Amino acid sequence: MDEPDKPAVDRRSFLAGAATGAAALLAAQASVAPAQEAPAKTTAPPRPASDFMVDIFKSLDMEYMFSMCASSFMGIHESILNYAEDKNPQSITCTHEEISVAMANGYAKIEGKPVLVCAHATVGAQHAAMALYDAWADRVPIYLLLGNTNDAADRQGEVFWLHSAQDPAALIRDFTKWDDNPASLTHFAESAVRAYKIAMTPPYGPVAVVVDEKLQLESAPPSARIPKLSVPTPPAGDSGAVAEAAKLLVAAENPVIVTTRAARTPAGLALMVELAEALQAGVIDQRRRLNFPTRHRLSGGNVAEADVVLALEAGDLSGVARTVRQRNAKLINLTAGHLFQRSNYQDFQRYTEADLSIAADAEATLPALIEEIRRQTTAARQEFFRQRGERVAAANAQAFERARAEAANGWDASPVSTARLSMELWAQLKNEDWSYVTGWVNWPMRLWDFTKHYQYIGRAGAEGVGYHAPASVGAALANKKHGRISVAIQPDGDLMVAPGALWTAARYQVPLLMVMQNNRAYHQEVMWFQRAALMRNRSLERTEAGFGLGNPNIDFAKLAQSMGVASSGPITDPKELAAAIKRGIGVVKGGEPYLIDVVTQAR
Amino acid sequence: MIRLLGFCVVLTLAFASAGQDTRAPANRVSAANGATVFMRVGCPACHGTVGHGGAGPKLAPNTLPLAAFTTWVRNGTPGWSYGNGMPAFPPASLSDAELADVRAYLAGLPTPRPADEIPLLRP
């Protein structure tokens, strides 16, 4: 991991500049002062502590601050706007703390680093909590600053008391890697840098630093300094364990690779291709990131035919482990998840029975594993691998043909099929530099050609509803400077949780094409209701009453327009999609968001 | 719904059932009623409004014969448990006669075009 760029504002030069400026000002005043008066003392004005805090954020290369404004971090907010002139970090106004954190989630998965998120320590953290849990379960670095009035003597009335806590981070401690409540500016500086370091050490995760309201408004002592940041190299697997894993894989008749988040960075995606090609083994991508190109000949595989399974940063391995056990096959489980877990929230999934467990970051371990596999592979084995690769490729081609045939079913249906929606989009995106920033539907993964890490960033890590819209706005903001077209297939129920993300997209000209998957119901829950009612031999007639989002139908095009986002729809005839998508891409290329409301099939 | 009903054809088949029939006369299979029932009991949530599939498998074209279709709907996915696969629909939710109507609706739907005839689905 490279060390972030040096701060744009160096503390020493800033102080020198401030002193020079103050001296010049005083000199100018002296020129009109009576000659007999003593010269003014040329001392620098007191430096606000929150200016120093902002310099720390600059040293951490924070590009943005996402926040819903709040008095408890007003010192920092004022310093960002006036001292930093609203640059690095730039203040981005969000209309809910859940939006702030989910936007930071989407941003981090594209850009590979956190932004600053600020919130009230009490009511703000409470709003932010679900989005934070999504990030925790998804191993995303979130950098959260919680404003609090620590000293009761400083609380100026009822609201100050309501918005203060003794231990603000307690609420979110179960799903953050680390938190602190620094008592001094020196302490804050250390904790701010330490928090970044912890968030960015695999396994990545959210961190929180409480910042006292009064501390922000104090003056920074001349001795205040920013500690040096050195992000640790990610933990790589023990060489003996890596050699043993390679031995099992090279000897296997039919190894299969299963992964959820192995490609932590773009380099990880390239290494996954190298690994699969070295073994000529299929890769089952559980797709919380783009871990493997979707149309690569080795994409896919069948655990039920495997004699060795290599799991790399895998999430839920319960089904895989059960199959492995039934077949008396071998399971190698390599993950940084072995290194860090919390107890309360159960995102760690079932206990995995493995034959070889390696506590390490997969991406950091892959170079050594690939080298060891190549070293152990004989020429005869290579030929065997080649033939195996041909079989995987044939199965891959058949799966693609099946997907094409299935996509044709319901092609002209109204409401619009999700396959038709996906392929109408693909037809107009495939020759652009695109990024599919979120979407629940599976068709793009089956039929689009994903080759770049930023083209897919997964979904809500904890499957919390309300992630998609803000995360796609945050991801699109990160994609903006790269000139990419960000596209989201946006579930209707999710957008209703946090529609204010649309306003932020319009306010800051975030180029995002948001295409609604408007099935007018909480359809995931519809299916659960059906199962429960049928188990009890009871009626299904009240499904709409409990789970529908119609009556009245939500007009998402008007919702978008009301917040300054241009839009089309609602579209029910699939023949109208192409023109709307063309219009939308044109607007997005012009640097603005666009929403297309499409009334779709349930799934 | 009007659009869906447009697809429907009324089929007449010999059918003997003592189920809770929503139709009249009782010995005729109605694809139109099948479309209504298909929507009412929530089949499209998993199988799509034209049985094209989604979270669950496609039901058309090549709809199962009535006996196999009935067995599948009545028993659900083998080993079905709460939260996994196709639930079992008891007669109280869907009578035998309604089931026959649903099957008639699905069997009467037009055959979709092959993927190669759809430009956006060509490789």
Side-chain angles (χ1 to χ4, degrees), chain A residues 518 520 544 549-556 570 599:
Chain A
N518 180 7
R520 292 178 172 164
E544 169 62 23
L549 275 174
N551 193 27
N553 293 331
I554 300 160
D555 190 331
F556 287 100
V599 181

Side-chain angles (χ1 to χ4, degrees), chain B residues 60-116:
Chain B
N62 305 319
T63 306
L64 289 172
L66 183 59
F69 188 71
T70 303
T71 301
W72 178 64
V73 174
R74 288 279 176 256
N75 296 298
T77 306
W80 174 77
S81 61
Y82 184 63
N84 184 22
M86 166 84 173
F89 281 69
S93 298
L94 191 61
S95 72
D96 285 347
E98 287 173 326
L99 203 51
D101 288 350
V102 168
R103 196 226 160 243
Y105 161 64
L106 294 167
L109 290 167
T111 302
R113 286 177 285 164
D116 283 337

